[in-house]
Amino acid sequence: MLDKREFYIDGRWMGPAAPRDCEVIDPATEEPCAVISLGDQRDTDAAVIAATAAFPGWAALEPAKRAEYCAAILDQYRARKDEMAEAIRAEMGAPIKLARESQAPCLSWHLKNFLDAMDQIDWSRPLGDHAPNDRIVLEPIGVVGLITPWNWPMNQVTLKVIPALLAGCTVVLKPSEEAPLSSMLFAEFVHDAGVPAGVFNLVNGDGAGVGAQLSSHPDVSMISFTGSTRAGIAISKAAADTLKRVTLELGGKGANVIFADAGPKAVKQGVLHCMQNSGQSCNAPTRMLVEESIYDQTVAEAAEIAQGIKVGPTAEDGRHIGPVVNKSQWDKIQGMIERGIAEGARLVAGGPGLPEGVNRGYYVRPTVFADVRNDMDIAQQEIFGPVLSIIPFKDEADAVRIANDTPYGLTNYVQSEDGAKRNRMALALKSGMVEMNGTSRAAGSPFGGMKMSGRAREGGVWGIEEFLEVKAISGWSTD
């Protein structure tokens, strides 16, 4: 078991004055895999003070120099990527193949894309030909607090830390206390890359402690948060008194609309996407909307695919799903499965309880409900587990109505060979992202939602601009 009772503040690893220990549980074994300390107000204040002191020098660097430091972080990752994958496997239960091939590489993917995006940012430009003496200047917002979740830890850390640093901000990162090990390894990458002291700081803690302290801190200019809608609302309220900028990337309840003319792989791709990462993705297509003419055959196919998904140990190589992150999450998912049964949905795969042959670990059976009404709890609430709800629809208008009938608006999906119909659907669906026919968003595309999914735009130029202020200057000398 690792002892990681340290914080990274002002370029140094240090222990808190009065540590409050917290065990990190390996969800595959239900045993502790590490011990960390949770910070208190003194630790938060120390990190903010260090970031405040470092801000003028970091902001004054040429953008190209800040990019060099971030490229050096990428070099550190490349040298230690297997360590990163193992940390993610242990802390949040990603099977090692998923950790190596999808979870850990989020760091290199996003970091390279942000470096490319830097070339597209015009830090100082004329307003236009009509106003030659008006200048638009982009400046870093200041000290930013970054609060990240456990489900895709390096994805969210990279989507926040790297654009903040490139923008010229200094940061205080509070990773999830459920999955802090990957973030602490990331802090080692930052340190070994030579990033100046105070530019990046990490304080472990929970939402009620360090999270709330950062959200209300008068010297923090911005909070960027990814997590539950409930927590996003609390952060917004805590930040209101200091009028700091708040960007939120929250939950989702994505609809995957499958028309009768969808391709032959549409159902399989939809089921597997829903179950990936044990269903612990905010953009998972957890509602499968199916045109009535192919409904029965789709239900049968989806059930067969889910029944064939293997559930297995995280240390074992292969394509299978692992556990969910902790006992609380397991209990919540079990309660929602039981709720679906009580609401009258037809259980066609999986169900409550542990998978067959499993007696340890927070594993969930890949579960599929058919004959779901969109007003059922399992169709409206984010379950965050490997649970799929299948809902029939009559026609295009009915599909749009059902898909949009949710408080969330993160990602929707459309499957059809009719290009004009796909385009109509994409414009009608109320979500920040729409993916069609299995085509993923390209590098530099922004990630974010609408409605109760928050309105952050992470990735590419948009991700960097979230950390910038726009200054309008008139009377600029062109001599």
Side-chain angles (χ1 to χ4, degrees):
M1 186 168 65
L2 296 174
D3 190 332
K4 303 288 286 186
R5 285 177 277 197
E6 298 172 307
F7 303 140
Y8 186 75
I9 301 175
D10 202 16
R12 296 172 293 157
W13 289 99
M14 58 182 68
R20 181 161 60 98
D21 287 349
C22 173
E23 290 183 334
V24 180
I25 304 299
D26 182 338
T29 64
E30 303 183 36
E31 297 292 335
C33 63
V35 176
I36 64 168
S37 286
L38 301 182
D40 59 17
Q41 186 70 59
R42 288 167 294 181
D43 302 304
T44 302
D45 289 344
V48 173
I49 289 169
T52 301
F55 174 69
W58 183 251
L61 288 180
E62 289 294 323
K65 184 60 178 178
R66 296 196 295 265
E68 286 180 15
Y69 279 114
C70 289
I73 296 172
L74 179 57
D75 290 339
Q76 293 296 320
Y77 164 76
R78 286 168 171 161
R80 302 178 66 182
K81 59 185 179 182
D82 288 342
E83 290 179 63
M84 180 61 75
E86 174 56 27
I88 295 171
R89 181 207 67 77
E91 67 187 1
M92 59 77 57
I96 191 61
K97 189 176 185 68
L98 178 70
R100 287 183 183 138
E101 296 182 359
S102 297
Q103 286 270 6
C106 288
L107 189 157
S108 58
W109 166 258
H110 291 309
L111 202 157
K112 287 186 290 186
N113 291 339
F114 280 127
L115 292 177
D116 290 341
M118 285 288 278
D119 295 334
Q120 303 173 49
I121 295 178
D122 198 345
W123 300 88
S124 177
R125 61 176 176 81
L127 176 62
D129 293 340
H130 68 291
N133 299 112
D134 278 47
R135 201 81 180 170
I136 301 299
V137 176
L138 302 180
E139 296 182 349
I141 192 169
V143 175
V144 298
L146 310 175
I147 303 174
T148 57
W150 47 261
N151 59 319
W152 286 88
M154 268 306 99
N155 184 71
Q156 291 309 128
V157 167
T158 310
L159 280 172
K160 296 183 190 299
V161 173
I162 297 303
L165 296 184
L166 289 172
C169 298
T170 54
V171 309
V172 179
L173 170 66
K174 188 209 85 66
S176 169
E177 68 275 23
E178 300 287 349
L181 305 182
S182 54
S183 291
M184 298 182 80
L185 185 58
F186 180 87
E188 293 182 21
F189 297 169
V190 174
H191 180 273
D192 294 344
V195 174
V199 171
F200 171 86
N201 307 273
L202 181 150
V203 180
N204 283 314
D206 54 22
V210 175
Q213 292 155 16
L214 284 174
S215 300
S216 60
H217 202 291
D219 295 326
V220 173
S221 299
M222 172 181 171
I223 291 289
S224 177
F225 169 77
T226 297
S228 70
T229 298
R230 174 192 55 77
I233 293 170
I235 286 169
S236 297
K237 291 178 178 178
D241 287 342
T242 52
L243 294 177
K244 56 173 55 68
R245 182 183 298 174
V246 178
T247 60
L248 304 173
E249 198 279 282
L250 308 175
K253 195 67 181 177
N256 184 12
V257 182
I258 300 181
F259 287 96
D261 63 351
K265 297 181 180 179
V267 177
K268 181 176 182 179
Q269 290 174 340
V271 174
L272 295 181
H273 191 177
C274 174
M275 305 294 174
Q276 184 193 34
N277 203 40
S278 301
Q280 298 170 121
S281 300
C282 53
N283 63 339
T286 53
R287 291 182 298 153
M288 182 176 283
L289 278 54
V290 181
E291 195 164 4
E292 286 181 345
S293 62
I294 60 167
Y295 181 76
D296 290 340
Q297 67 194 64
T298 298
V299 168
E301 183 181 357
E304 183 179 3
I305 292 165
Q307 289 162 357
I309 294 174
K310 295 181 180 179
V311 179
T314 58
E316 183 179 292
D317 202 7
R319 296 200 177 280
H320 54 271
I321 67 172
V324 296
V325 70
N326 57 29
K327 180 64 161 57
S328 175
Q329 188 66 18
W330 190 88
D331 287 341
K332 174 191 171 185
I333 295 165
Q334 296 301 311
M336 289 302 298
I337 293 173
E338 295 283 7
R339 179 65 180 157
I341 295 171
E343 288 180 311
R346 176 162 57 102
L347 184 66
V348 296
L354 290 169
E356 186 176 351
V358 174
N359 59 15
R360 192 180 198 187
Y362 306 124
Y363 294 92
V364 176
R365 300 170 67 192
T367 297
V368 178
F369 284 104
D371 303 346
V372 176
R373 298 189 317 275
N374 202 53
D375 62 352
M376 291 180 176
D377 287 346
I378 57 170
Q380 289 292 312
Q381 296 184 27
E382 186 179 43
I383 300 174
F384 230 56
V387 181
L388 175 65
S389 296
I390 305 181
I391 303 169
F393 69 86
K394 294 180 174 63
D395 53 26
E396 191 175 325
D398 195 35
V400 170
R401 178 188 62 79
I402 296 170
N404 287 342
D405 182 19
T406 172
Y408 296 105
L410 189 57
T411 315
N412 285 307
Y413 303 82
V414 180
Q415 320 300 330
S416 169
E417 294 302 307
D418 184 335
K421 178 164 60 179
R422 290 201 310 271
N423 291 350
R424 289 193 302 271
M425 289 292 297
L427 295 174
L429 293 170
K430 299 300 182 185
S431 56
M433 298 171 286
V434 180
E435 297 184 11
M436 302 190 288
N437 283 5
T439 303
S440 298
R441 293 171 301 107
S445 178
F447 187 103
M450 301 177 180
K451 303 191 289 186
M452 298 293 279
S453 292
R455 288 172 173 81
R457 291 296 180 269
E458 297 185 327
V461 173
W462 291 272
I464 298 172
E465 289 181 342
E466 283 200 326
F467 295 95
L468 294 170
E469 299 276 27
V470 178
K471 177 182 286 185
I473 303 173
S474 60
W476 184 268
S477 175
T478 57
D479 296 338

